[in-house]
Amino acid sequence: MTEKEKLIEMIKNNETIKRYQAIEKVLNTNKDLNSKINKLKTIQKQLINAKEINKQESIKHFDALYNELLAEIEGYPLMSDYLALQGDINELIQHITQIIEDGVNKELNSK
């Protein structure tokens, strides 16, 4: 088994990742939640556009809508676990990336 295959297998078998995927499946089947997430994305785009053209009233309006909808989304059962696990996985990925970069740099510097 190559190092790449070992790494892939380790990631697949990681309990945090398995839990994250299980929660993601449950959340993805919630039509109301998915609708709110899509609406949040739309509001986020409108907020960015308002900031780009410096429309202060629009910025306040879309910011308030965004925060209100985000709070609703975060209030869904399992969502806090999902977001916490997402943070843990991001840290794991950063750690793995750093190990790979260090290994590559060590190999390059030893030649």
Side-chain angles (χ1 to χ4, degrees), residues 78-96:
L78 296 177
M79 187 54 83
S80 61
D81 288 348
Y82 178 77
L83 294 173
L85 289 169
Q86 194 173 53
D88 293 345
I89 291 169
N90 284 338
E91 286 180 28
L92 175 65
I93 290 170
Q94 288 175 358
H95 183 68
I96 291 169

Side-chain angles (χ1 to χ4, degrees), residues 12-111:
K12 283 182 181 177
N13 293 323
N14 183 287
E15 288 302 316
T16 302
I17 291 174
K18 285 181 178 181
R19 175 81 175 131
Y20 177 82
Q21 290 172 330
I23 292 172
E24 187 175 46
K25 280 183 182 178
V26 171
L27 294 176
N28 284 340
T29 61
N30 187 320
K31 291 181 183 178
D32 184 49
L33 177 61
N34 286 317
S35 173
K36 288 183 180 187
I37 289 172
N38 288 332
K39 187 175 180 183
L40 185 73
K41 290 176 184 178
T42 299
I43 292 170
Q44 187 177 34
K45 289 176 186 176
Q46 292 169 324
L47 178 60
I48 290 168
N49 288 337
K51 286 180 179 180
E52 285 180 6
I53 59 176
N54 202 23
K55 291 228 173 193
Q56 294 303 317
E57 288 301 314
S58 294
I59 292 171
K60 289 178 188 176
H61 172 72
F62 290 124
D63 195 41
L65 287 175
Y66 180 87
N67 289 326
E68 181 182 323
L69 193 53
L70 182 61
E72 284 181 40
I73 291 169
E74 289 174 339
Y76 272 82
L78 296 177
M79 187 54 83
S80 61
D81 288 348
Y82 178 77
L83 294 173
L85 289 169
Q86 194 173 53
D88 293 345
I89 291 169
N90 284 338
E91 286 180 28
L92 175 65
I93 290 170
Q94 288 175 358
H95 183 68
I96 291 169
T97 301
Q98 189 62 52
I99 291 169
I100 293 169
E101 285 177 7
D102 291 347
V104 169
N105 287 334
K106 184 177 178 181
E107 285 291 318
L108 290 174
N109 290 331
S110 68
K111 293 184 177 183

